[in-house]
Amino acid sequence: MKKCNNQSLGVSMSKIRLRFAPSPTGYLHIGGARTALFNWLLAKKLGGTFILRIEDTDVARSTQVSVDAILQGMEWLGLDWDEGPFYQSDNFPLYKEKVQQLLAEGKAYKCYCTAEALEAKREAALKSGGKPKYDGTCRNLNDTPEDKPFVIRFKAPLDGVTVFNDLIKGSISFNNEELDDLIIQRTDGTPTYNFVVVVDDASMGITTVIRGDDHVNNTPRQVLLYQALGAPVPQFAHVPMILGSDKARLSKRHGATSVIAYRDMGLLPEAMINYLVRLGWSSGDEEIFSKEELVEKFTIEAVGKSAGVFNPEKLLWLNAHYIKAGDPERLAELLLPFLADRGITARPAQPDLVNVVKTLQERSKTMLEMADGALFYYKTELEYDQEAVQKNVKPESSGYLKSLSAALSTADKFDHESIESVFKGVCADLGIKMGQIGPAVRIALSGGTVSPSIYEVMEVLGKEETCRRLDLATARFTAAQG
RNA sequence: GGUCCCAUCGUCUAGUGGUUAGGACACCGGCCUUUCACGUCGGCAGCAGGGGUUCAAGUCCCCUUGGGAUCACCA
């Protein structure tokens, strides 16, 4: 067992509390899933608490559909939470109270500037090369026009430096003069994001905030807010972004970005977890990690600082690995919906799906591929690949198939070994080599030139069905050759 | 543009002053083989550039370049 460093020891002793706080304005995407995973892993590793909080203060953009999609994504990945889901929309009274507190303490003020005026000033500043920050017009207003609409701004310090030690990126500092007086309550009385996050993280006792890189610039404002509220400042860990192959931020252009879309493409959740964690984190030269191993080995300090490019090929490789290593019974269950999409709506009795899966595990990169590969087993009437027939079926093929079928039908056992020995016996009797009969047999059994091993297919199909397909092909090949 | 962050093969990464710069995906070739795969063996390929510090720099410092994030009454 490795020694803990002081930092993680300190965290674990104070019972770490983490949260994942997505906003319900879309599905759970790759980046969010990884952030959730890192939170989950650290909570599990340190015996802490993982909280799910839905950031729905933007009532206009938040939807229940998105909430459901996020929950579904979390569930698929197996990222369960200890508390929540909490909804920020349930906490409006608390935010109101905290705003009043800051107002009473002179740490916030009412601002009567209109959005239009602000926008104009911002544009002017930008045009003249200045900074587009709030100019502080209402900061020291004496006469307050009570009848006009207003927002409430946080009175940020004008000078000094705000520093925080990021668990991933190290020390990050900002000059306070770069920060302006951010709005904490809108004209309509609803609170804004930066304020709400702080109030919630403080009231929920969050000790460590793991979130996307895109929040680093918000962090100094939030630190200031914690201080103004008299709350302890949590530790921060900003995980780098995930980029597309063009090094631009991952988006729809780069293919599916919802984790559920990957499920529908035939990915296994353990492959997704494994891929996501390795994108930005590593443990020596290891590539394959079970969740249990991750819980044991993961540390937030080992997460890399730089953005990573999403690589679908590697994801696919991991998926192929987990399919190969997976439990056939479970894979059979997971295969059902993909078969249903292909017209096999009920779980077929014959041939046994688990046996079918076993023949396909080593040759499927996705469950979707596996479903495609499984189809021929369940077709009563195969369509032969014409090109394959032309190339591989010779005038003598029908005779070979007939002999094979006859020999097979008298076999007392029908396992891999006995099938092989009968097969070889037939070849010897006919004085031919495997290559002279193999392709035609494969077409007879599967309809094409690509399938699992012939012996395996025969075994799974069973004697009766094997002979039926062989006989059927004999007839059809004969007919085709006239 | 301001601010903040980042920089090892095409990609994900190991590396914490002394290494023939390691692994993985992808790619290429050999082997295995009744097909497709799996597997296996081998190959290609990298420290962005420039200055320092040091006996010694991928590793420390500075600059340049490049990339990203962010500058809302969104989150």
Side-chain angles (χ1 to χ4, degrees), chain A residues 29 103 362 466:
Chain A
H29 54 82
L103 223 38
E362 289 202 329
T466 297

Side-chain angles (χ1 to χ4, degrees), chain A residues 140-195:
Chain A
N140 296 306
L141 222 53
N142 289 323
D143 48 330
T144 53
E146 287 302 337
D147 54 328
K148 284 171 69 177
F150 62 87
V151 299
I152 295 176
R153 284 182 188 273
F154 174 61
K155 193 180 277 183
L158 270 13
D159 51 26
V161 182
T162 298
V163 187
F164 63 95
N165 185 47
D166 194 284
L167 260 22
I168 292 173
K169 298 187 182 268
S171 176
I172 300 178
S173 64
F174 291 80
N175 284 115
N176 288 340
E177 60 180 337
E178 299 295 338
L179 279 23
D180 59 1
D181 293 349
L182 80 162
I183 293 170
I184 58 176
Q185 188 180 95
R186 304 185 183 95
T187 313
D188 65 3
T190 59
T192 59
Y193 169 74
N194 279 107
F195 182 69

Side-chain angles (χ1 to χ4, degrees), chain A residues 124-272:
Chain A
L126 229 35
K127 200 181 271 182
S128 66
K131 292 173 189 176
K133 57 179 272 188
Y134 180 61
D135 63 0
T137 304
C138 300
R139 187 174 166 117
N140 296 306
L141 222 53
N142 289 323
D143 48 330
T144 53
E146 287 302 337
D147 54 328
K148 284 171 69 177
F150 62 87
V151 299
I152 295 176
R153 284 182 188 273
F154 174 61
K155 193 180 277 183
L158 270 13
D159 51 26
V161 182
T162 298
V163 187
F164 63 95
N165 185 47
D166 194 284
L167 260 22
I168 292 173
K169 298 187 182 268
S171 176
I172 300 178
S173 64
F174 291 80
N175 284 115
N176 288 340
E177 60 180 337
E178 299 295 338
L179 279 23
D180 59 1
D181 293 349
L182 80 162
I183 293 170
I184 58 176
Q185 188 180 95
R186 304 185 183 95
T187 313
D188 65 3
T190 59
T192 59
Y193 169 74
N194 279 107
F195 182 69
V196 164
V197 184
V198 171
V199 172
D200 276 339
D201 284 341
S203 74
M204 291 177 178
I206 300 299
T207 59
T208 308
V209 173
I210 301 177
R211 76 222 308 192
D213 218 349
D214 48 338
H215 287 283
V216 290
N217 290 298
N218 287 326
T219 308
R221 303 169 199 282
Q222 292 174 8
V223 168
L224 258 16
L225 244 16
Y226 279 104
Q227 290 165 349
L229 254 11
V233 180
Q235 294 211 273
F236 293 98
H238 288 99
V239 315
M241 301 275 92
I242 298 177
L243 311 175
S245 52
D246 56 358
K247 302 266 178 119
R249 200 172 173 155
L250 205 59
S251 72
K252 291 193 189 78
R253 311 201 295 287
H254 304 290
T257 54
S258 154
V259 294
I260 289 301
Y262 283 95
R263 177 198 65 187
D264 296 342
M265 286 162 67
L267 276 276
L268 262 24
E270 57 268 41
M272 187 54 100

Side-chain angles (χ1 to χ4, degrees), chain A residues 75 128 164 195 349 377 433 450:
Chain A
E75 190 187 343
S128 66
F164 63 95
F195 182 69
Y377 283 108
K433 287 182 182 159
V450 176

